[in-house]
Structures are given as C-alpha cells and as structure tokens.
Amino acid sequence: MLKNYLTFLIIVTYTLNATAQKKTEPTLEEIKLAQALKEVFPDDHVASESENYHITFEYNKRTDKVEVLEKTTQNLINLDSRADIQVYSFYNGESDIESFKIRYKTNRDADFHIQDEAIKSDDLFHNDSRVKYTNLDFPLKGFKYQVEIVKRYKDIKYFTSLYFNDDYPTVKKTFTIDIPNWLDLELKEMNFDGYTINKSVLPDDKNNYKTHTFILENASAMFDDTSSPGPSYIYPHLLVLAKSYTLNGNKINIFESTQDLYNWYKTLVNSLKNDNADIQAKVLDLTQDAKTDEEKIKNIYYWVQDNIRYIAFVDGIAGFKPDEAANVFNKRYGDCKGMANLTKQMLIEAGFDARLTWIGTNRIAYDYSTPSLSVDNHMICTLYNNNKPIYLDGTEKFNAYKEYANRIQGKQVLIENGDEFILKVVPQVNANFNKETVTYELTLENEQLTGTVSKTFNGESRSSLLQYLNQLQTDKKDSFLLWYLNGGNSNIKVENINTSNLTDREIPVNIDYNIQINNAVSSFDNTIYIDLDLEKELSGYNFEKRKTDYVFDYKKHLQSTTTLKIPEGYKIESLPKDIAIANNNYNLKVSFVESNNTLIYKKDFEITKNVVKKTDFTEWNDFIKNLNTLYNEQITLTKQ
C-alpha cells in the first residue's frame, strides 16, 4: 500500500513539474518577439523587454539620515537559441540588498542560487564592496526570466545617479521617483539631447509627494568599446542632487551648494589626528642639504612618489577620508588621499604652505558647480609657492615637478582653505610637450639594412616608459629594452644600446643603438624592393566598428625620420604618395623626399586633443586605410 502511494506521489510530482516546465517554455508570439528584437539589437544575446525602477525616500530617525529604497524589476528575454548571462547588484557599507529574486514568466520562483561575495581586486587593498549575483541560463529563444532586486542606500548622499543604459538593451526603461515634499531634491538631466525621453510630474497631495517619471524606449546596451570616454560623457542619465530636507520646521542641508560639499569633506579632514613626529627625521634628511626651496619640495615630492606604494581603499567612510600621514609613512603604502595627506604634512614640516585638494579625473564630466559625491574621484596636494598653486600627485610615478598627468589636466580642483575653499583649474599642455622623436639612419648592404637609431621621449611618453621599466625586476629591464626596441621581431638585431639616466624623471629619455634588419630587402634581376617602415604607428587604429569616441591616454606627437642612402648605381623607381589629414583634434602627415641620393621618409603624427571624435571617424578611417596601403608598399630601386 505504501509502495503504491509513493509511486503515486512520484507520478504527481513529475506531472506537476512537467506542466510547470511546459508553462515556462516560450510561445510562438514570444519567439517572434525575440526574432524582432534581434533585428533591432543584432549584437546582443539577451534584451530586457521592460525595466522599471521605483525610487522612494525615507527618513531614519535612529541614524538621522535620509535613506533611499530602490526597487528594480527587469523582464529579460533570450534573443538567441541559447544564452548564459550573469545578473548582479553591488552594495557596500553604505547600502544593503534587501531582496534578490529570480522568477519565471509564470511568476513562479526560479531555483537559482544567489551568491554573495566580497569584491576582490589586485588594485584594491581594503574594500567593503560586495556583490550579489547569479548565473542565468536561457535554454530557448524567447525564454523569459524576471529579476527583482530591492536595494537600500543608508544615506542619500551616496545615491548619485540613474543611467538609462545598462548591460543589456531595453525595450522600455522607466524611472519612477517619488519625492516627498519634505525633501529638496533635483533630478538633473544629463546627455538627454538626441534621445526621446518622455517625462511627467504628478502630485500626490494625499501622501505629500510628487512622482517624477522618465521613460526611454529602445535603450541600447552600454557600448563595449575600450579607450572610450567615461560614461558620464556618453549616456543619458539623471544626476540625483539631494540638497536638503525639512522636518518639524528644521531645515537640514545635505549638498545644497559647493560649500556644503566642502564642509562635509572638511569634517573628515578635521577628524584626522596627524602626529608628524614619525616623519620629522625623514623631512630633515630630505631638506637639510638642499640649496633652494624648490630642491626641498622636489626631494619630498619625489620621495613620496618613489617610496609609497599606491593601493586603493574602498571601505565605507575610508573611501572619502584620508589616512593619517604617519600611518602612510610607516606602512609605506596608501591610497590617493593618504598619499596626498602625507605629501601635505611633510611639506608643512619643511615650512611650506601645502593643502589637500579634491579633483575629478577626466573620466568624470562634471565640475564643482554640481555639488555631489559624483563630481570627484581623486585627491592630490596643492603647494602654494610664491602665492602660485603647484599640484602634486604622488600616485603619478615619474611625473616631474610641475608636470601634470593628462587625466587631471584642465580639470577643476577644490582646494582646502580653512572654512572656505578655493577653485582652480589644472593647467593643460599641448601635444608637443609629450613629443616622441625617432630617427633612423640606414644603409643597404647585401640585402640587409644596417644603421643607427635614436629615440627621444618627453612628457608623458617619457614618464609612462620610465614607470613601466621601474615595475620590472632589475634582471628583466635589459631584456625588455631589447624586446621594446626590436618590436619582438627576431629579424631585427639591436646592439650597443646607450640610454640617458633612466631614474631621472626631469630629463628626456634618450635611447641610441645600432640596428641590423634582415628580411626587409629582396632583389630580382636589377631591381631591389625595400620594406622601410619598422614601426607602422597607428596602423591598427581603424574605428569602423566603434560606437564611441576613441580617447588616447594623453596628447601625442610623434616625429619620425628615416633616411636611406641609395646604393651607388641605383635610382629610386617609385615612391608611395604623400598623405595628410588635419582638423582641430589631430594633424597627421607622411612624406617622401629624395635629396643628394638619399631617401628621406617622414611621419608627423600629432593628436592635439588626445581624442578622435565619432564625427571624424569616416575621415580618420580613410586616412588609416591610405596609411596602411602606404605601409604595405615597397620602395623600389632599379639599377641604372
């Protein structure tokens, strides 16, 4: 009897599961929808049929903070025969994920294990960021899942933005934001031009709030382009600017102005217990033999660059508060804030006026006219010398005194000034400051090119090379230099390398060497064919498939000159045609000249604004196509 009953239960359970599974399978209409969406989003495997964000705000009496509750509902559909994706949500000490659910289209819970892990990174020493995630498998085209995540921000100041684009394209994305009347909050529209975003504001007098709704249809996924501008430049989004709240007649400022933002930063700085006793002996050692103030400053600045290892901290308030100078000094590591504070305190011990300075790198589109924690992501030290500000960034190894990395050039800085603050802008340099020159002097002997090469690196082309060399173990630097100079090509033999002082960040890097090149020359009867270009700069920079501007690490200026002595009894039969292109962002040209039985081949590539705009891609790609054609052409010599 019991055996029959168990058999019956198994059959019923199997039938129910099979029926439930049957209900989750895609209908013909859902398959057709997936096919239609695939035509709209051909590069994507999964799309969101709809995505809804519902944002509400609460006052927490216990913490005296305004909290944010963000509920996200995402209806995902598979566009291919099969797809496997990961859905996730980040949180940290200032936020919690209260719910993370995956359901089938039938609203039945899907049996997926939600994992909760700390985020690990080689670049982060201490990090309180965590992620909840799970891996979804879509077995069939048109298969659907619903993802529901509820996240709470414990303090509204950390809730800074809402982006319309995400990992997957969305047919319809909706933000519904209920702003209570006691909360003064601005939703600042960023990058809305070119998008049709439907907006509405509806008051709810009964519950004393206004509902702001924003809807964007057919929102593409975030672009998978490397070397692109920061997302705040590209995608439509809302900056959430929490200014103040009023309860029981009392108005409490959050970030109503830049002064409020500075005041909060300053409370973190004022809480530091900087005891400089541990650094005094080192400051004396660095400055006692210096003959000028500038020499003292450089000795301190360069010591921080060379001896303090940069490691990021993302841990609650430690993500915004500098570490004490003595801690950074004794541990010999710190994040940008700790390194800035150590630089400041060492300079103060030496008798200088040094100040902490907040700045957003060029990954961020905003300046301090927008009082928000999203405006900056970096800290440096500002030195006032003869009433002029000089910016010191200890994280930039091998940047010389008064030289600034491209990532902070032209960016606004917030400089501490007691209860007030000072706003300045970091100076910019032109591309020539980072000039790289290359000179080849070659002769032809027995189907072999031989000669000398001289290379010079300035500005960031110099500092980036020095930094890379410095990261290598001593026994690997020579082998790297050989590999770097021959481009990893076994047909190129490099000998007699002479360099400038590779530990001196204040002088250009000079590298001179002899070169012997095999397999670049071939001859038939009375004709010689020569592949003259070894570097082929920019050859791979074709942007036909890019969807965003291309951003170089820094403004570049390459000047390359190759001279080839024509063998006696030969003449140049043909040369590639000169090419050139120029606009406000770049100036590129290649030329060939014959003079006194010598071929002079010149390249002058200047990227004036370290960016190639999307609007210039057609023109740029045409030039690169012509450049590659030129690179593939051979120099032809014929016997007279």
Side-chain angles (χ1 to χ4, degrees), residues 33 37 40-41 47-53 72-77 163-165 168-176 196 198 213-220:
L33 173 61
L37 291 177
V40 178
F41 307 114
S48 184
E49 193 175 354
S50 65
E51 192 169 345
N52 299 290
Y53 283 71
T72 308
T73 304
Q74 191 176 26
N75 293 295
L76 298 171
I77 181 170
Y163 277 78
F164 286 90
N165 302 83
Y168 309 104
T170 305
V171 177
K172 183 177 181 181
K173 187 157 189 173
T174 304
F175 289 118
T176 304
T196 302
N198 296 317
T213 304
F214 298 82
I215 300 173
L216 175 62
E217 295 183 353
N218 294 327
S220 64

Side-chain angles (χ1 to χ4, degrees), residues 402 404 406 409 427-434 460 555 608:
K402 295 184 180 179
Y404 310 125
N406 183 78
Q409 288 179 30
Q428 299 189 68
V429 299
N430 57 32
N432 204 52
F433 184 82
N434 303 318
E460 290 203 65
K555 301 167 186 173
T608 54

Side-chain angles (χ1 to χ4, degrees), residues 566-567 569-574 594 597 636-640:
I566 306 303
Y570 281 84
K571 68 174 183 177
I572 298 175
E573 180 67 23
S574 64
E594 182 183 1
N597 211 36
T636 305
L637 308 181
T638 56
K639 199 167 187 177
Q640 299 185 52

Side-chain angles (χ1 to χ4, degrees), residues 252-500:
I252 308 298
N253 281 2
I254 304 174
F255 293 146
E256 193 168 38
S257 65
T258 306
Q259 183 68 52
D260 291 326
L261 179 65
Y262 175 74
N263 290 344
W264 187 72
Y265 284 157
K266 191 63 176 167
T267 60
L268 303 180
V269 173
N270 291 342
S271 67
L272 296 176
K273 297 178 176 60
N274 280 308
D275 181 352
N276 291 346
D278 288 356
I279 68 175
Q280 289 171 351
K282 174 54 69 175
V283 171
L284 180 62
D285 177 57
L286 292 170
T287 58
Q288 61 185 351
D289 296 328
K291 296 179 175 59
T292 65
D293 282 351
E294 184 167 289
E295 189 178 348
K296 293 178 183 178
I297 296 165
K298 287 181 180 179
N299 288 349
I300 291 172
Y301 180 39
Y302 294 161
W303 185 89
V304 173
Q305 284 186 338
D306 294 341
N307 293 278
I308 305 300
R309 186 161 59 106
Y310 170 73
I311 304 179
F313 286 78
V314 184
D315 188 357
I317 206 68
F320 298 91
K321 179 182 176 181
D323 195 4
E324 275 84 3
N327 290 340
V328 178
F329 175 80
N330 290 321
K331 293 182 296 187
R332 292 296 197 267
Y333 64 77
D335 67 352
C336 63
K337 299 175 294 298
M339 295 176 76
N341 188 39
L342 176 60
T343 306
K344 169 190 171 180
Q345 296 301 324
M346 293 181 78
L347 288 169
I348 287 175
E349 283 296 320
F352 296 103
D353 179 5
R355 313 183 185 189
L356 294 178
T357 301
W358 294 262
I359 183 172
T361 65
N362 59 12
R363 286 284 296 171
I364 295 176
Y366 325 121
D367 62 20
Y368 285 100
S369 63
T370 303
S372 165
L373 294 182
S374 63
V375 73
D376 50 38
N377 60 349
H378 192 41
M379 181 179 278
I380 60 176
C381 174
T382 297
L383 167 76
Y384 272 90
N385 194 21
N386 297 321
N387 294 320
K388 293 182 179 180
I390 299 165
Y391 307 105
L392 306 176
D393 185 351
T395 70
E396 291 290 347
K397 309 298 184 184
F398 290 100
N399 263 30
Y401 179 60
K402 295 184 180 179
E403 286 187 12
Y404 310 125
N406 183 78
R407 67 182 185 135
I408 66 171
Q409 288 179 30
K411 296 295 293 184
Q412 195 179 51
V413 290
L414 181 76
I415 305 170
E416 66 174 335
N417 189 39
D419 291 335
E420 306 295 328
F421 61 87
I422 299 171
L423 291 177
K424 294 283 186 181
V425 175
V426 178
Q428 299 189 68
V429 299
N430 57 32
N432 204 52
F433 184 82
N434 303 318
K435 192 173 183 180
E436 182 180 339
T437 59
V438 180
T439 302
Y440 284 86
E441 294 186 357
L442 302 175
T443 58
L444 178 60
E445 298 177 4
N446 300 323
E447 295 194 0
Q448 191 177 74
L449 293 175
T450 61
T452 61
V453 184
S454 180
K455 294 187 174 185
T456 303
F457 303 84
N458 295 276
E460 290 203 65
S461 71
R462 176 209 66 223
S463 60
S464 59
L465 178 58
L466 290 181
Q467 182 167 348
Y468 190 84
L469 285 169
N470 184 63
Q471 292 171 346
L472 297 173
Q473 296 177 8
T474 302
D475 61 344
K476 294 183 178 180
K477 291 182 181 179
D478 289 342
S479 58
F480 166 76
L481 204 53
L482 275 173
W483 174 87
Y484 177 74
L485 296 176
N486 69 17
N489 188 341
S490 60
N491 289 312
I492 299 175
K493 185 177 181 180
V494 172
E495 296 179 315
N496 302 324
I497 301 173
N498 291 305
T499 70
S500 56

